[in-house]
Amino acid sequence: MTRYADIPKPIRSGLVVVDPDRGTPQRVIVLQFNPDTLERSIAPQSAGDSTDSASGGTGSGDRNEALRLKGPAQESWKFTAEIDATDQLEIAAPDGIHPQLATLEMLVQPTTAQLRAASRLAQNGTIEISPIEMPLILFTWGSKRVMPVRLTELSVNESAFDVNLNPIRASLSIGLKILTVSDLPAGHRGADLYLAHLAQKERLAAAARGGSLGALGLPGVDVLSGRG
């Protein structure tokens, strides 16, 4: 029998619900299939954003702020995840993929206990009721990408059903916003996790091989000084 012991087992991407006080995982959601593509959008938080005016072409922003940043860049991710019960025939699925879908949907839903508690406060005459806090969620894409996120989009396309109309195959469009220190209060565990994620980026950037001015067709450093 041919053995493939040297072939590494693929790592799955997924979501981890974390207790923000203790830092312990409360639920781990492993994506059945890794998405084929990832769409990432990164927008800097510039302090000196300006636009050219239609008449004179003069920027309207503060020139002293043109190269300053107000905080970390705002980053969002989008990808498509697949769930297919027929790919796991050895696992009993009397409810189809309802449990997997419900687990993801509950990441953006308050629990019945939270809603009832808010209702009791309202009935008791509480004037101001704090909004219900979502759980702290980490998105993982290998060991080099572990970051706190908020789900911004969850679109489900169910494409196959069993005889009891339980969904057995679905495609999910998932949108995530990376939570930074600008989004979370000081001392929040999510803020610390974001800083760890940013430090990982810094380490990877430091490992990149630098280029040369000659490769860009520039004759030397004088051209960068404005004297070339």
Side-chain angles (χ1 to χ4, degrees), residues 68-90:
R68 296 182 183 275
L69 296 174
K70 294 185 292 185
Q74 297 295 302
E75 183 174 356
S76 59
W77 289 45
K78 289 187 69 174
F79 58 88
T80 300
E82 306 287 340
I83 304 178
D84 192 342
T86 62
D87 190 66
Q88 298 176 321
L89 294 176
E90 71 281 3

Side-chain angles (χ1 to χ4, degrees), residues 122-182:
Q123 291 174 356
N124 292 334
T126 303
I127 297 176
E128 185 175 353
I129 301 175
S130 299
I132 296 172
E133 186 172 354
M134 294 174 62
L136 174 60
I137 303 170
L138 300 182
F139 177 63
T140 71
W141 187 270
S143 61
K144 296 179 178 63
R145 287 173 168 173
V146 179
M147 63 212 89
V149 299
R150 180 177 67 232
L151 266 72
T152 57
E153 177 185 341
L154 181 58
S155 177
V156 183
N157 181 10
E158 299 175 1
S159 56
F161 305 86
D162 63 16
V163 294
N164 294 315
L165 291 184
N166 295 311
I168 57 175
R169 186 183 305 124
S171 174
L172 297 89
S173 177
I174 297 176
L176 304 171
K177 179 187 184 301
I178 310 303
L179 297 179
T180 73
V181 292
S182 299

